[in-house]
Amino acid sequence: MSLRIKTLICLSGVLSLYLAFDLFLYQHRILPGFVELERAQALQNYDRCIKAIDREHHLLSRTCRDWSWWTDTWNYALNPDKEYEDENLVVSTFQNFDLAAFYIYNSHGEKAWGHSYNPDTEEYGVFEDFEQPLSQSIIDMLNIVKVDVAVSGWVHTSRGPVLFASSVILNSEGEGESHGQLVMARLIDEKFAFTLSAQTELTVTIQSGVSQDHTPHDPIIGYPDDTTMTVTGCYPDITGKNMMKV
């Protein structure tokens, strides 16, 4: 056997060993590190999405309290008047705060004013859950408000899940005898998911009607295909039960 052939055989063996070692290193050291880094980034993105949801929650809660702790609203709940309605209970109020429902109840629990709003037709409508008789989920929420002054959360309705905020109606100083309760609600729909996507620069989807077996806020990482990673978690309603999948 010539020296050239022996040299080629040796080089081939060294190259094979090198390639085998490189493949082993990639599969058992480098690739797991990349996967773990990718998983960590995905979980961080999920946290960003949850924080965006919480911000929307806080914003609606604060808006509701600003309206309910206002002397003009306080007077209206006791003695409804057209001037307050013409100046405040208008289409732009629904549009500015992306509301699906706005209701004012007097101290007897009767509706003083209330409508749903359809942004597609720009027309008022009726949100059955907030009308008499109230749906049980809304009754439960309003009963909590009587104790806690203000409350907000996620509830099931005949139109699907909504972000709900309610507060007792007081004067602008947050004092005096309550004249009732004010309620605001936003639908959790494709538009809400689009808002979250715009805020987080992520693809966000929301599904309702989820199983109660999964622990809320315990995200699960999935791989629908070779190029996609998803993170899915359950978001609870005001009672702590799973209401929607994010």
Side-chain angles (χ1 to χ4, degrees):
M1 184 181 297
S2 66
L3 179 61
R4 177 178 294 182
I5 295 176
K6 291 181 179 180
T7 302
L8 289 175
I9 293 174
C10 290
L11 289 176
S12 298
V14 171
L15 181 60
S16 297
L17 288 174
Y18 172 78
L19 292 175
F21 176 76
D22 186 63
L23 180 61
F24 175 84
L25 186 64
Y26 176 77
Q27 290 182 334
H28 296 278
R29 290 290 187 270
I30 299 176
L31 183 59
F34 277 125
V35 171
E36 190 59 35
L37 183 63
E38 188 178 45
R39 288 171 62 89
Q41 183 64 52
L43 292 174
Q44 288 180 3
N45 288 339
Y46 175 80
D47 287 340
R48 287 169 54 200
C49 179
I50 296 301
K51 288 178 180 178
I53 293 175
D54 291 341
R55 283 195 299 270
E56 295 298 315
H57 184 171
H58 175 73
L59 176 61
L60 184 65
S61 180
R62 185 178 63 185
T63 301
C64 181
R65 198 185 73 166
D66 288 344
W67 275 78
S68 62
W69 290 19
W70 184 26
T71 300
D72 287 1
T73 304
W74 189 60
N75 291 331
Y76 177 83
L78 185 64
N79 295 299
D81 64 272
K82 194 172 186 304
E83 181 180 358
Y84 178 91
E85 294 177 3
D86 291 342
E87 292 182 357
N88 301 288
L89 304 179
V90 292
V91 168
S92 60
T93 299
F94 287 84
Q95 294 173 334
N96 292 340
F97 301 110
D98 196 21
L99 299 178
F102 186 119
Y103 279 74
I104 297 174
Y105 304 97
N106 62 27
S107 57
H108 302 293
E110 301 166 338
K111 186 182 79 171
W113 189 93
H115 290 289
S116 66
Y117 174 71
N118 187 330
D120 294 328
T121 61
E122 297 188 354
E123 295 179 346
Y124 289 138
V126 174
F127 205 129
E128 297 78 5
D129 298 76
F130 297 97
E131 301 284 337
Q132 269 77 17
L134 299 172
S135 70
Q136 187 59 50
S137 60
I138 304 304
I139 291 175
D140 293 341
M141 286 286 287
L142 294 179
N143 286 337
I144 295 173
V145 176
K146 292 178 182 178
V147 178
D148 293 344
V149 179
V151 68
S152 58
W154 313 83
V155 295
H156 289 282
T157 70
S158 59
R159 299 191 188 183
V162 301
L163 173 57
F164 175 110
S166 182
S167 174
V168 296
I169 297 174
L170 303 172
N171 62 25
S172 297
E173 287 71 40
E175 301 172 347
E177 180 183 358
S178 172
H179 287 173
Q181 296 173 349
L182 186 145
V183 172
M184 292 180 173
R186 290 183 62 185
L187 286 176
I188 309 305
D189 53 12
E190 290 184 1
K191 184 177 180 180
F192 188 84
F194 179 80
T195 298
L196 299 179
S197 296
Q199 291 180 9
T200 60
E201 297 183 345
L202 301 169
T203 301
V204 180
T205 60
I206 297 176
Q207 296 177 317
S208 60
V210 299
S211 169
Q212 298 301 317
D213 297 334
H214 189 64
T215 303
H217 296 315
D218 185 14
I220 297 176
I221 294 178
Y223 298 89
D225 54 56
D226 294 338
T227 61
T228 306
M229 174 186 288
T230 62
V231 183
T232 305
C234 292
Y235 205 93
D237 64 14
I238 193 171
T239 67
K241 296 180 180 179
N242 288 337
M243 188 189 73
M244 59 186 184
K245 184 184 295 184
V246 180

